């Protein structure tokens, strides 16, 4: 079922034949784009994977030979625009950089448009490539977006982000509800989905095949985990705290196995760079909208599965009381195995959507949002599927809307602070039940 949804997702993403997976690291600039001779020590940072890029045009015509510099974090790089007006500077680490266009290198009669900020500060936020544009031409005045349009864009982005978090959070919540295990390796299950999608696409498979195979691979990883590790530990009567520690060790092991085979760079899935859709005054990336609808469709399918099918009812019974469910004739181990498969498939799909949202695939991408997944589960109520959905959507909305006022680097911190404040008032979470301890 989830593989079929992934195939639908691929169909929406690629109206044209899918391209192969590519790296975000651009090739070295052409000979016409070498560093300015005025600074022998300056570099364009072609060896670095994190890039600051842009295009310089005047009335639609590329402008060649314009000097661009980027400085920050003890590093300085520079480049000269090529025949297409494009430029790209690699930086050794992510952070804030000051980018400046040397106006003395502009052609005669050409100047920056009124209101252009030069130099300007750019900051990396969950991406390996930042694009910044310097507009040229007399009579061009920058128009500021209204607060309403900015808020609408952030709300749509927040819903998309929250729903893709919910895909992973629902799987984590199901696993916790049926086994009591807090699985810290869930972030690596998210990463694996995106890495498998990239690997299948790099093998030459179309996205129609690569994405469903990645979801199936995520489900298979969940099956292998339970069959090879968690079920034997349950049979031995291992406590939940030792099992949680095992999950931390598993997370570290899987993360660095992925690093060994995949590498430390950031790669792009086919169609990772999506066009902007103009919906009235609002501009939304196409992938963001597709991610929103796909996530919503999958969550609705999971809800129907839990409410309307025998396996869904059995899952809820095991979650409520495993001993009573077993006494009623339910095969508890079989239900838990199905939950692990479903959780792995949902995490894999969440990882694919996260790779399109960022955009890019990296070995630690699941680790980056693991705390947000836990925040969504905890905020909604541990072990409750609908609580995980509501909590994740609230986290996603706060993360994106907060960027209107907060620096991009602080948006995740703000979401975690909100979770703490809510739990101080309602410790069991939004949909959680009060339980007496002792």
């Amino acid at each position: 079922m989830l593989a079929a949804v992934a195939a639908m997702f691929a169909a929406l993403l690629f109206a044209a034949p899918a391209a192969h997976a590519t790296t975000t690291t651009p090739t070295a600039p052409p000979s016409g784009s070498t560093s300015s001779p005025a600074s022998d020590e300056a570099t364009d940072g072609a060896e670095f994977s994190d890039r600051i890029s842009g295009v310089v045009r005047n009335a639609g015509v590329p402008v060649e030979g314009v000097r661009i510099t980027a400085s920050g974090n003890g590093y300085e790089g520079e480049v000269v625009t090529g025949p297409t007006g494009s430029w790209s500077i690699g930086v050794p680490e992510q952070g804030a950089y000051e980018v400046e266009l040397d106006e003395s290198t502009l052609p005669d009669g050409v100047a920056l448009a009124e209101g252009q900020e030069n130099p300007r500060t750019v900051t990396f936020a969950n991406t390996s490539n930042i694009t910044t544009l310097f507009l040229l031409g007399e009579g061009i005045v920058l128009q500021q977006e209204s607060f309403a349009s900015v808020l609408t864009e952030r709300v749509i982005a927040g819903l998309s982000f929250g729903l893709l978090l919910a895909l992973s959070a629902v799987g984590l919540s199901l696993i916790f509800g049926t086994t009591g295990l807090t699985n810290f390796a869930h972030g690596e299950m998210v990463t694996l989905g995106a890495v498998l999608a990239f690997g299948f696409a790099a093998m030459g498979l179309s996205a129609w095949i690569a994405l469903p195979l990645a979801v199936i691979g995520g489900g298979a990883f969940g099956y292998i985990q339970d069959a090879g590790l968690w079920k034997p530990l349950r049979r031995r009567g291992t406590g939940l705290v030792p099992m949680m520690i095992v999950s931390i060790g598993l997370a570290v092991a899987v993360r660095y196995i992925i690093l060994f085979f995949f590498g430390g760079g950031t790669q792009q899935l086919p169609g990772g760079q999506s066009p902007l859709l103009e919906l009235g005054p609002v501009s939304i990336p196409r992938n963001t909208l597709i991610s929103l609808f796909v996530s919503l469709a999958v969550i609705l399918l999971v809800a129907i599965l839990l409410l309307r099918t025998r396996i869904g009812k059995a899952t809820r019974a095991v979650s409520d009381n495993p001993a009573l469910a077993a006494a009623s004739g339910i095969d508890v181990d079989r239900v838990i195995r199905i939950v692990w498969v479903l959780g792995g498939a949902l995490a894999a799909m969440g990882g694919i959507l996260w790779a399109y949202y960022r955009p890019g695939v990296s070995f630690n991408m699941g680790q980056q949002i693991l705390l947000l997944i836990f925040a969504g589960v905890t905020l909604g109520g541990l072990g409750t599927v609908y609580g995980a959905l509501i909590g994740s959507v609230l986290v996603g909305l706060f993360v994106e809307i907060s960027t209107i006022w907060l620096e991009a680097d602080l948006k995740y911190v703000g979401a975690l602070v909100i979770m703490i404040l809510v739990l101080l008032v309602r410790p069991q979470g939004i949909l959680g039940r009060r339980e007496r301890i002792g």
Side-chain angles (χ1 to χ4, degrees):
M1 177 180 66
L2 293 178
V5 175
M8 179 186 70
F9 174 46
L12 290 171
L13 274 174
F14 307 101
H20 297 308
T22 57
T23 176
T24 58
T25 305
T27 56
S31 57
S33 302
T34 56
S35 298
S36 171
S39 177
D40 295 334
E41 296 182 359
T43 175
D44 63 359
E47 69 273 20
F48 302 125
S49 60
D50 295 318
R51 317 286 301 180
I52 304 172
S53 309
V55 179
V56 179
R57 292 192 179 97
N58 180 38
V61 178
V63 181
E64 184 179 1
V66 179
R67 180 173 175 266
I68 310 288
T69 60
S71 59
N73 302 310
Y75 171 82
E76 182 173 355
E78 70 174 47
V79 72
V80 174
T81 58
T84 62
S86 62
W87 58 272
S88 181
I89 301 175
V91 295
E93 62 182 11
Q94 296 196 1
Y97 290 86
E98 186 177 84
V99 182
E100 182 175 7
L101 181 147
D102 187 351
E103 297 185 54
S104 65
T105 60
L106 291 172
D108 292 339
V110 177
L112 284 172
E114 182 181 347
Q116 285 284 283
E117 184 181 359
N118 184 42
R120 64 183 59 168
T121 300
V122 298
T123 305
F124 286 87
N126 295 316
T127 182
S128 61
N129 198 338
I130 295 179
T131 300
T132 183
L133 301 177
F134 291 94
L135 301 181
L136 306 179
E138 294 184 1
I140 298 178
V141 179
L142 296 181
Q143 295 183 352
Q144 298 293 330
E145 289 186 282
S146 67
F147 177 78
S149 63
V150 172
L151 180 61
T152 303
E153 291 175 3
R154 291 298 88 205
V155 167
I156 295 175
L159 284 173
S160 178
F161 184 47
L163 287 171
L164 74 86
L165 283 177
L167 282 178
S168 301
V170 165
L172 181 65
S173 185
L174 283 171
I175 292 170
F176 178 86
T178 53
T179 66
L181 172 65
T182 305
N183 181 26
F184 281 87
H186 204 76
E188 277 51 56
M189 297 168 73
V190 171
T191 302
L192 184 66
V195 170
L196 287 176
F198 174 81
F200 289 134
M203 291 168 58
L205 299 178
S206 70
W208 303 68
I209 301 174
L211 300 189
L213 280 180
V215 174
I216 294 171
F221 182 55
Y223 180 94
I224 293 170
Q225 275 193 74
D226 185 59
L229 180 61
W230 304 118
K231 183 177 179 180
L233 289 176
R234 288 197 303 272
R235 284 184 171 178
R236 290 174 176 268
T238 306
L240 291 177
V241 173
M243 290 177 71
M244 182 184 69
I245 295 173
V246 169
S247 77
I248 296 174
L250 177 64
V252 174
V254 173
R255 186 182 314 144
Y256 286 100
I257 289 173
I258 293 174
L259 173 62
F260 180 80
F261 289 102
F262 179 77
T266 299
Q267 312 291 341
Q268 290 290 349
L269 291 179
Q273 302 294 336
S274 67
L276 288 176
L277 301 180
E278 301 293 337
L279 306 176
V282 180
S283 299
I284 300 295
R286 183 186 64 182
N287 284 352
T288 297
L289 282 180
I290 293 176
S291 173
L292 191 157
F293 290 122
V294 170
S295 301
L296 187 58
V298 172
I299 289 171
L300 289 176
L301 285 175
V302 173
I304 293 172
L305 176 69
L306 292 175
L307 292 175
R308 302 294 183 183
T309 65
R310 291 181 61 187
I311 188 62
K313 295 175 182 177
T315 300
R316 288 186 285 128
V318 172
S319 179
D320 287 339
N321 193 322
L324 182 59
S328 302
I330 296 175
D331 187 342
V332 174
D333 281 335
R334 179 173 176 269
V335 170
I336 291 175
R337 183 70 49 81
I338 292 173
V339 165
W340 272 101
V341 172
L342 180 61
L346 288 173
M349 180 167 283
I352 294 170
L353 295 178
W354 176 226
Y356 279 109
Y357 187 87
R358 298 176 69 223
V361 183
S362 64
F363 80 98
N364 62 346
M365 57 183 290
Q367 181 193 15
Q368 293 174 353
I369 60 170
L370 181 61
L371 282 179
L372 294 180
I373 294 172
F374 275 118
V377 172
T378 307
L379 184 59
L382 288 172
T384 63
V385 172
Y386 299 108
L389 169 61
I390 294 174
S392 298
V393 170
L394 290 177
V395 168
L397 284 171
F398 184 84
V399 163
E400 291 298 338
I401 293 176
S402 65
T403 58
I404 299 176
W405 301 282
L406 299 179
E407 293 290 336
D409 290 341
L410 295 177
K411 61 182 182 180
Y412 295 152
V413 176
L416 298 176
V417 169
I418 290 296
M419 180 196 72
I420 293 171
L421 293 177
V422 171
L423 292 181
L424 286 174
V425 178
R426 188 176 174 83
Q428 71 270 31
I430 296 173
L431 297 185
R433 295 173 299 181
R434 287 183 177 272
E435 293 187 6
R436 181 174 178 177
I437 301 176

